[in-house]
Amino acid sequence: MRNHEVTTIQPLLGPDGILQEPGWSRRPLQLYSRADIKKRPTRIKEWDYYSVLSPSGDFGVCFTLSDDGYIGLQSVTFLDFKHAFEHTETILNAFPMGKLHMPTVSSGGSIRYCDKKLGMQFNLNFEQREIKCHFKNFYNGKPLRAQIFLEDPPQDSMVIATPWLEDPHAFYYNQKINCMRARGKVEFDGKIYTFDPATDYGALDWGRGVWTYDNTWYWGSGSGTVDGHRFGFNIGYGFGDTSAASENILFYDGVGHKLDDVTFLISDNYTDPWKFTSSDGRFEMDFVPIIDRAALLDVKLICSDQHQVFGRMSGTAVLDDGTKTMPCAINVVTDEPGRTVMEMTLKEGKNREIRRMCESVGLEVVRLKRNAEGVVKLGMLKPGTYRELTKAEVNGLRAAAVKGRAQTRSAAQQSKAAERRPRGPVGKNAPRKQK
């Protein structure tokens, strides 16, 4: 059966160094050990990556500590969404091969890196993660300092164990933890940026493995609040043989809702709008990029070409019980002491939805104005008055109605097809792309 869930505690690798049970789980039940790997130390990759984003403050930071065998990569990124600015500083270390002593589990241990330029530490205490960073010359001679705390209560995560058909000793073992409420601050360029746990979240990408030499990987992650509930997702494909399970999942108030395949529809220009669509019709999203953090690393033995794109997403996600969540897109128009003007785009109209969303994060709505209904712009139309719809508006409304009916028919057909689908392995129908 596709999306096989691992439910028993066991060693990740067998005595022969081969992945014992490919599949996914809600927490790391398979136990990782470097000593079990039957490959050269230069081939082993271990990393911890944190992203902490503030939609209310329009900023974010990312931190990486990694030991990739041939090379160590320690990096810090600062993101300013309001001005579409990003800066990343990276320190490379030759042949670390275990010297960073990366923990064998995501639920314990600390990682510390220190040299004359950068001091960075990841700590884990009871249900709380801490990120400490001091980059002395981060940008134009200016330092960056950060101390951030992430709440990590018991909750589902996305854990995936993936093999490669072409190399039985290659594997990808990874955990994604979303929706960790963030508090703390970042000091950069004479400003203090503060995270608010009511609105701001962090995510962890914890990975260990041995890869084949040529891979292309697509990954997407999001965390936020939808109608007062913690909502997040992890989506991706490209690594290895995913016939046992995908790494696609929704998170709603700490509970995981498993998805099948998700496809990324991206043009050659990464800053053009994207679309995401799913084989089970449960993840249909539009994505508007703000920042493309492009990074090309070529040190001959290792070459990595990355586009890490940050932006705003809107659309529909469907939980296991059929409940639809429709995250709204929020754009901060004005942010000043005592007053914030936000523009919100809703995909569904529940009673007092905007007011209830704001109340759930401690915000008071003083004034609410509707600017548009679908393609119809209201403009300066006063209450009680009307105007004729333009031809373009009529055509737009008709197109939206046709699309809505088509989606309803598609969902009904998928439901009937699922009832007729035979049980058993699905095979290799997960999308792949190789460089």
Side-chain angles (χ1 to χ4, degrees):
M1 182 177 178
R2 182 69 193 284
N3 286 322
H4 168 68
E5 183 174 359
V6 177
T7 58
T8 58
I9 298 175
Q10 60 184 294
L12 177 70
L13 305 177
D16 55 2
I18 296 176
L19 186 64
Q20 293 199 108
E21 188 177 0
W24 77 282
S25 56
R26 300 173 189 272
R27 58 189 181 94
L29 298 175
Q30 296 163 292
L31 308 179
Y32 166 82
S33 172
R34 284 179 66 99
D36 296 337
I37 298 174
K38 306 301 182 184
K39 287 286 189 179
R40 299 189 307 272
T42 52
R43 296 286 306 279
I44 301 173
K45 292 176 170 51
E46 301 176 324
W47 71 91
D48 283 37
Y49 165 85
Y50 285 95
S51 66
V52 191
L53 307 179
S54 173
S56 59
D58 264 344
F59 74 96
V61 281
C62 304
F63 307 91
T64 302
L65 289 175
S66 70
D67 178 342
D68 295 331
Y70 286 111
I71 197 168
L73 187 151
Q74 328 311 332
S75 73
V76 178
T77 298
F78 178 81
L79 303 158
D80 181 346
F81 298 118
K82 185 177 293 185
H83 302 99
F85 167 83
E86 72 86 16
H87 183 70
T88 299
E89 283 293 323
T90 300
I91 294 176
L92 302 179
N93 319 110
F95 300 101
M97 294 189 295
K99 295 176 184 176
L100 266 66
H101 304 290
M102 306 288 282
T104 59
V105 296
S106 64
S107 57
S110 297
I111 314 171
R112 183 178 182 183
Y113 178 86
C114 187
D115 64 19
K116 62 182 181 181
K117 296 181 180 179
L118 170 65
M120 188 154 59
Q121 190 167 351
F122 300 160
N123 301 314
L124 177 59
N125 300 311
F126 179 71
E127 295 188 4
Q128 179 175 267
R129 297 177 182 271
E130 180 188 23
I131 303 168
K132 297 177 69 174
C133 174
H134 180 199
F135 214 123
K136 293 182 180 179
N137 182 4
F138 180 70
Y139 181 66
N140 288 342
K142 302 169 185 176
L144 181 145
R145 294 181 175 87
Q147 184 175 23
I148 301 168
F149 298 93
L150 303 177
E151 297 178 10
D152 188 13
Q155 60 179 338
D156 286 349
S157 62
M158 179 65 224
V159 183
I160 191 80
T162 303
W164 269 264
L165 289 176
E166 59 268 38
D167 186 347
H169 292 106
F171 68 94
Y172 168 57
Y173 190 48
N174 181 250
Q175 181 183 24
K176 304 292 197 322
I177 304 177
N178 289 63
C179 302
M180 295 186 288
R181 295 190 184 274
R183 62 182 176 85
K185 63 182 181 180
V186 178
E187 299 179 47
F188 171 60
D189 196 15
K191 298 180 182 179
I192 297 178
Y193 298 84
T194 303
F195 288 103
D196 182 352
T199 58
D200 304 338
Y201 292 91
L204 168 64
D205 172 14
W206 182 94
R208 306 292 186 262
V210 173
W211 306 345
T212 54
Y213 282 102
D214 190 8
N215 294 281
T216 298
W217 181 36
Y218 298 92
W219 173 44
S221 178
S223 299
T225 304
V226 174
D227 201 15
H229 299 270
R230 285 189 303 141
F231 171 77
F233 61 86
N234 183 82
I235 54 176
Y237 62 95
F239 268 2
D241 174 18
T242 60
S243 59
S246 77
E247 60 177 279
N248 305 316
I249 194 170
L250 305 174
F251 300 105
Y252 194 73
D253 283 340
V255 177
H257 300 255
K258 191 70 181 69
L259 303 174
D260 203 359
D261 292 323
V262 174
T263 302
F264 294 40
L265 303 175
I266 312 170
S267 74
D268 293 335
N269 182 359
Y270 288 94
T271 56
D272 287 343
W274 301 16
K275 283 187 177 293
F276 299 87
T277 186
S278 56
S279 60
D280 52 14
R282 293 176 54 195
F283 192 86
E284 305 296 322
M285 295 284 177
D286 295 311
F287 176 69
V288 179
I290 300 174
I291 294 173
D292 175 13
R293 192 192 76 81
L296 175 61
L297 172 66
D298 188 351
V299 291
K300 306 311 175 186
L301 289 175
I302 294 178
C303 178
S304 172
D305 186 4
Q306 299 182 30
H307 287 270
Q308 192 176 23
V309 184
F310 298 85
R312 294 186 172 88
M313 185 175 284
S314 61
T316 302
V318 183
L319 306 182
D320 287 342
D321 63 359
T323 300
K324 289 185 178 181
T325 66
M326 297 186 178
C328 72
I330 301 177
N331 181 42
V332 178
V333 179
T334 303
D335 189 11
E336 56 191 37
R339 176 177 176 267
T340 301
V341 178
M342 295 185 293
E343 182 180 70
M344 299 184 176
T345 303
L346 300 179
K347 296 289 186 177
E348 59 181 348
K350 294 181 180 179
N351 185 38
R352 294 176 55 83
E353 184 172 9
I354 291 178
R355 294 185 185 275
R356 286 188 288 113
M357 282 194 299
C358 292
E359 288 170 2
S360 71
V361 294
L363 299 177
E364 179 186 1
V365 178
V366 177
R367 182 169 177 257
L368 191 59
K369 179 183 177 183
R370 180 173 301 194
N371 295 326
E373 183 76 32
V375 297
V376 180
K377 308 295 183 182
L378 302 183
M380 301 303 293
L381 197 64
K382 295 181 180 180
T385 60
Y386 70 93
R387 66 170 175 82
E388 298 289 333
L389 294 178
T390 66
K391 184 177 181 180
E393 289 172 337
V394 172
N395 291 337
L397 291 173
R398 285 175 174 167
V402 170
K403 182 179 178 181
R405 288 195 296 269
Q407 289 176 341
T408 301
R409 286 195 300 269
S410 176
Q413 290 168 355
Q414 288 173 356
S415 177
K416 292 180 180 178
E419 293 174 0
R420 296 192 301 268
R421 188 178 300 134
R423 295 186 179 274
V426 173
K428 306 177 187 66
N429 61 350
R432 292 183 178 85
K433 181 179 179 182
Q434 295 290 328
K435 290 193 291 185

